Amino acid sequence: MYANNNCVFHYELPRSYQYMRNWNKGYLEWARAHAMTRYAEPIAIHVYSEVLQKFRLAAQGKRPGKQPPERLRKRVETFFDPLPFYHETLESGLVDTHEYPLHAITQRPMAMYHSWDSQNAWLRQIHTHNYLFVSPRLGAEQGFEDGDWVWIESPHGKVRCMARFSNAVEPGTVWTWNAIGKAAGAWGLSPKANESQKGFLLNHVISEELPPCESGERVSNSDPVTGQAAWFDVRVKVYKADAAEPRVSFPQFKPQRLLPGQDKHRHGKWQSYFAGMFRKKTGIGS
């Protein structure tokens, strides 16, 4: 239907299906018929989670069966609360938040949102590289301008990159794209490509493990309930790079070599063959 309607096809649900869709029988049966859901059953949101309470009772020693390790009992008891509650990120309680006052988060560029391993060459030429988006207030406080090179530093590492002002950014937060900033030579990029020279990954300031704490020295830096990696939990500081520093992102690595099968010259003949097949089929170039 997208192909028949120039990529703008719109299907309007029957009016009776448009409301309370988590338990609307008509909608649920329609969604199941179109493979959007597995079951045509009401989707109930549990405000009180009996599953989490079972873990919590085990941590409290009030439930038979498997028990959490002693060093993790307090962690499980605290975070497996059956009712929703707010808490600071785990790392925030273990680092100096005066030294690192900012929250750093990432967001995939919209054009690359569902493209973990299919990112197009032309798309990467449009995006070329990323910036660290910050509030103009932070620039004024730290003495740097829009487009300046800055350092973003956490207790785990630091990255040099370019800053971009945006009034849409909350002053206590900085953010950038992820999935861009590949190393020189990776993905067939030229060693001098903007993505490797100006792009960067925030991963270099995010630790896979929490600082040593009562739960141990090798505790995963992840959500204690879901196990989701704590990409949004890192605390950082941002300051202007020295004028004498190279105008390239840091860290930099030796350009990667082509892997077997990536030799561009070996692909020429079969690429030309298929390009010719495409031209015949579409009539282009005839």
Side-chain angles (χ1 to χ4, degrees):
M1 288 309 227
Y2 281 107
N4 294 339
N5 292 274
N6 196 29
C7 295
V8 292
F9 177 67
H10 174 76
Y11 176 81
E12 186 168 341
L13 287 168
R15 191 166 181 80
S16 62
Y17 291 7
Q18 295 181 15
Y19 304 95
M20 310 299 287
R21 285 183 286 178
N22 57 316
W23 51 58
N24 182 312
K25 182 179 180 180
Y27 171 77
L28 290 170
E29 290 179 345
W30 177 88
R32 173 65 187 87
H34 290 79
M36 295 176 65
T37 59
R38 182 174 295 180
Y39 308 109
E41 297 178 358
I43 302 169
I45 299 173
H46 293 203
V47 176
Y48 181 97
S49 172
E50 192 62 45
V51 174
L52 290 181
Q53 177 63 357
K54 289 178 180 178
F55 280 90
R56 193 186 199 193
L57 290 174
Q60 294 172 341
K62 298 177 181 178
R63 183 178 173 81
K66 290 186 177 180
Q67 301 290 307
E70 285 300 323
R71 66 187 182 89
L72 297 177
R73 281 188 183 274
K74 184 177 179 182
R75 177 186 173 103
V76 174
E77 180 182 5
T78 300
F79 296 106
F80 282 68
D81 193 310
L83 289 170
F85 73 102
Y86 169 80
H87 66 86
E88 285 281 351
T89 62
L90 299 184
E91 187 172 280
S92 291
L94 301 171
V95 301
D96 186 345
T97 54
H98 294 285
E99 176 72 11
Y100 303 99
L102 305 169
H103 296 272
I105 62 176
T106 63
Q107 170 63 53
R108 188 175 299 277
M110 290 299 100
M112 297 179 179
Y113 197 81
H114 291 294
S115 49
W116 279 99
D117 28 55
S118 62
Q119 303 195 44
N120 302 251
W122 69 267
L123 206 51
R124 304 188 84 79
Q125 291 176 60
I126 293 171
H127 285 304
T128 66
H129 64 277
N130 54 329
Y131 294 92
L132 183 70
F133 295 98
V134 306
S135 166
R137 187 189 306 178
L138 178 63
E141 292 173 355
Q142 294 297 324
F144 62 83
E145 300 292 336
D146 181 53
D148 279 353
W149 286 88
V150 299
W151 286 99
I152 176 170
E153 181 178 338
S154 78
H156 318 293
K158 64 180 185 177
V159 170
R160 183 172 57 226
C161 58
M162 286 188 287
R164 214 22 123 214
F165 288 171
S166 171
N167 287 312
V169 179
E170 193 274 328
T173 303
V174 298
W175 76 277
T176 189
W177 300 343
N178 58 9
I180 198 164
K182 300 294 182 289
W187 291 33
L189 288 171
S190 161
K192 295 298 182 181
N194 278 351
E195 185 167 349
S196 65
Q197 298 298 295
K198 297 180 179 179
F200 68 99
L201 287 174
L202 205 61
N203 303 46
H204 296 293
V205 303
I206 303 172
S207 174
E208 294 186 6
E209 296 175 343
L210 290 170
C213 59
E214 61 184 11
S215 296
E217 295 188 5
R218 309 284 291 184
V219 180
S220 172
N221 183 22
S222 56
D223 181 83
V225 176
T226 67
Q228 168 65 51
W231 295 329
F232 292 178
D233 293 1
V234 67
R235 300 292 293 249
V236 300
K237 58 183 176 181
V238 176
Y239 51 93
K240 186 176 181 179
D242 191 275
E245 293 179 34
R247 278 353 193 195
V248 295
S249 55
F250 177 90
Q252 287 287 320
F253 304 94
K254 291 178 63 175
Q256 295 184 18
R257 294 182 179 180
L258 290 175
L259 297 173
Q262 285 188 313
D263 188 338
K264 298 177 182 178
H265 300 294
R266 294 176 61 189
H267 293 175
K269 290 185 179 180
W270 65 262
Q271 285 179 331
S272 299
Y273 171 78
F274 283 108
M277 292 281 287
F278 175 75
R279 289 192 184 97
K280 288 180 182 178
K281 189 176 291 186
T282 60
I284 295 175
S286 59

